[in-house]
Amino acid sequence: MLALEFPPINEILRWQDVFPSFNKIAIIAVAAALVGTVIFLIAGNADGSKAPRGIRNFAEAIVEFIEGQIIMPTMGRDGLGWTPFMLSMFSFIYLCNVPGIIPIIQMPATARMAIPLFLSLLVWVVFIGVGFKHQGLGYLKSSLFPPGVPAALYILVTPIEFISTFLVRPFSLTVRLFANMLAGHILLVTFALLTEELVQGGNIALIPVGILPFFMLVFLTAFEVLVAFLQAYIFTILAAVYIGGAAHPEH
Amino acid sequence: MLRAVVTYGSTGPEVFLSAEGEEGYSSYKYEDCSIIPEGKDPQESIESLEECDPGPSPIMPEAKELYWGAGAFIVFALLMRFFLYPRLRKSMDARYESIRSSHAEADQARAEARGEVATYEAALAEVKAEAAARIDAARATLESERSVQITEVNGRIAARREAAAAASVSAHQAARGEIGTAVASVASRTVELATGTSPDPVAVSRVVDEIMSSGVSS
């Protein structure tokens, strides 16, 4: 009888501090900022007059992706000023997600609550600030009393709008990113442990069976590449939607 | 104070609590734990590491991760805002502008080339028309000259033909005279041999002329 002892979730998240107050998640976060900085530094130093190649091509593709696929559809041409913010947010989240599939590191920094929470609170502060900057106190009116709704329904609609706009948005942004990345990490751990247990468990008959979870592990690793990109994209486009909606409520 | 040491063995991460001069964890009490489990006496010895050090909460954010992550992102975002993105955008804009101006130059060159082609085609049509007119004029001139020359040549041919006809007639008459003379001579000789007398040459010539004339006419 095969007995797979799966560690508790907090067990697979326990890391030895490199030094007090600096653990693996902090390393990944700092490395993500450094790698992003180096990529855009190298891209900026390359000769811009010629057709872009290599890292510059990669960096320009990200910039055009942010502008063309995130900012223009959600904020319009007026939102292009937000490109550096969206670009840094997308790059940072992606570079925090990707270590989940890099051998040895194998931990997405966004699978812990801290970074998604900080980014969500930042977006929350930014979109509320943008709302007040563009509309003044009218932002509260446009947010809590959406036009076109019969006055009697404001009793229901206003609390719902307040909760969804000011409370649920940062919460949903945080949980969406954190939960997806943590779930992916747990899946990878599960199939890695199952493969190890079947192959090294001492039962020769089960060794060929171990190839099944191994293939699943390979597939999920490839899938996590997509998830890493997708979650960064979703977080960033939602941030753009919230900021764009606060700046131009008519949209 | 209890110290947690995490090691990575073949079975995964393992946590041991240790302190100077002591080994293992059986001598530690729940009061040494960061969190005393419910229902446990602080003075009681711990039973397992997990209940004493459950590890980080999978839900609650840790302060060190929060401020390192926030710090890293803020620094990255500020660098991106004031240094990295402007440099990249500036060179991208410069290249786009260069491409746009190259397109405009190409459009202008194309328009100029089209204008030159139109000018060339107009000149070519003019030259072709002029060439056709010249060819027609030359053809007309040639035709008239040809007609004149043909008329002239026909005249010369007719004159030559008349001269040749006259020469032929005179030659014919001369030959006839010679033949008549020869025939008269032969006839006179024949008569002389037959009769022994020489006939009158005038009569012989008249008879021969009559015979030749009748022979020619017949």
Side-chain angles (χ1 to χ4, degrees):
Chain A
M1 180 83 181
L2 179 67
L4 176 63
E5 188 180 343
F6 192 83
I9 291 176
N10 52 6
E11 182 81 9
I12 63 174
L13 299 172
R14 179 162 32 197
W15 306 104
Q16 185 178 10
D17 286 356
V18 178
F19 57 82
S21 300
F22 192 74
N23 63 2
K24 188 171 183 175
I25 300 301
I27 291 175
I28 294 169
V30 172
L34 276 176
V35 169
T37 303
V38 168
I39 286 173
F40 283 93
L41 199 61
I42 293 172
N45 284 335
D47 184 3
S49 62
K50 296 176 181 171
R53 296 171 57 194
I55 287 181
R56 185 179 176 89
N57 192 25
F58 176 67
E60 286 195 11
I62 296 174
V63 170
E64 288 180 351
F65 172 74
I66 297 291
E67 288 178 346
Q69 304 300 321
I70 292 180
I71 292 179
M72 289 301 286
T74 57
M75 304 168 82
R77 185 161 290 280
D78 294 343
L80 287 176
W82 288 96
T83 302
F85 179 72
M86 296 299 168
L87 184 60
S88 47
M89 180 169 285
F90 175 83
S91 305
F92 185 73
I93 294 173
Y94 181 71
L95 290 169
C96 284
N97 288 349
V98 157
I101 51 161
I102 295 176
I104 298 174
I105 305 175
Q106 281 175 323
M107 177 68 201
T110 43
R112 301 281 292 136
M113 182 61 95
I115 291 175
L117 178 66
F118 165 72
L119 293 174
S120 302
L121 289 176
L122 182 64
V123 169
W124 183 69
V125 168
V126 166
F127 83 73
I128 290 176
V130 167
F132 280 114
K133 183 185 172 189
H134 281 77
Q135 305 176 53
L137 289 175
Y139 173 59
L140 286 177
K141 185 187 172 192
S142 66
S143 298
L144 301 179
F145 302 95
V149 177
L153 282 180
Y154 282 136
I155 297 168
L156 281 175
V157 171
T158 300
I160 291 171
E161 286 294 323
F162 176 77
I163 290 169
S164 69
T165 303
F166 296 104
L167 300 180
V168 171
R169 277 183 179 181
F171 177 76
S172 65
L173 270 180
T174 306
V175 171
R176 185 182 297 108
L177 178 59
F178 156 72
N180 273 292
M181 297 315 297
L182 180 62
H185 182 61
I186 291 172
L187 271 175
L188 292 179
V189 171
T190 303
F191 283 98
L193 281 173
L194 192 56
T195 305
E196 183 191 20
E197 188 65 28
L198 288 168
V199 173
Q200 297 185 340
N203 191 338
I204 296 173
L206 288 177
I207 291 176
V209 183
I211 201 164
L212 296 174
F214 176 73
F215 277 131
M216 196 64 193
L217 179 64
V218 172
F219 168 76
L220 284 174
T221 302
F223 185 66
E224 281 299 307
V225 178
L226 175 67
V227 171
F229 170 81
L230 206 60
Q231 289 305 319
Y233 171 68
I234 290 169
F235 193 101
T236 312
I237 199 168
L238 283 174
V241 167
Y242 295 159
I243 294 170
H248 304 288
E250 67 276 11
H251 293 165
Chain B
M1 184 67 188
L2 203 59
R3 188 160 67 99
V5 177
V6 182
T7 60
Y8 297 90
S10 59
T11 58
E14 294 171 348
V15 181
F16 296 99
L17 302 177
S18 64
E20 285 186 16
E22 295 177 356
E23 292 182 355
Y25 55 85
S26 57
S27 61
Y28 294 106
K29 298 181 170 47
Y30 283 108
E31 66 179 358
D32 296 321
C33 297
S34 54
I35 300 169
I36 300 173
E38 281 185 30
K40 298 291 183 182
D41 181 1
Q43 298 303 318
E44 189 182 342
S45 294
I46 64 173
E47 293 174 0
S48 68
L49 288 173
E50 282 70 23
E51 64 176 350
C52 186
D53 180 21
S57 164
I59 300 293
M60 292 303 293
E62 283 198 60
K64 56 191 171 191
E65 295 172 3
L66 194 62
Y67 58 68
W68 275 109
F73 177 76
I74 288 169
V75 170
F76 180 52
L78 289 175
L79 281 173
M80 187 69 84
R81 170 68 184 84
F82 293 107
F83 181 64
L84 300 172
Y85 176 73
R87 287 184 68 195
L88 188 64
R89 186 76 256 180
K90 190 179 174 185
S91 58
M92 283 171 73
D93 288 343
R95 193 175 71 251
Y96 292 163
E97 188 53 43
S98 162
I99 291 169
R100 269 194 290 273
S101 65
S102 297
H103 277 185
E105 285 173 9
D107 288 343
Q108 189 181 353
R110 189 183 295 123
E112 285 175 2
R114 281 181 179 155
E116 286 180 5
V117 167
T119 307
Y120 164 76
E121 285 177 347
L124 186 64
E126 192 178 335
V127 168
K128 278 182 177 174
E130 190 181 337
R134 284 186 182 182
I135 287 170
D136 289 344
R139 192 172 285 152
T141 305
L142 194 63
E143 189 63 28
S144 65
E145 285 181 2
R146 181 171 161 270
S147 300
V148 169
Q149 285 185 1
I150 285 173
T151 307
E152 188 184 332
V153 167
N154 284 340
R156 282 206 301 268
I157 290 170
R160 285 187 183 180
R161 189 176 288 153
E162 285 174 6
S168 171
V169 168
S170 63
H172 180 263
Q173 286 175 346
R176 184 174 177 176
E178 287 175 2
I179 291 167
T181 303
V183 168
S185 172
V186 169
S188 293
R189 183 64 183 161
T190 305
V191 169
E192 188 181 349
L193 289 174
T195 63
T197 61
S198 178
D200 184 11
V202 175
V204 171
S205 295
R206 193 181 65 240
V207 170
V208 167
D209 284 339
E210 287 175 358
I211 292 168
M212 286 180 68
S213 298
S214 65
V216 169
S217 63
S218 64

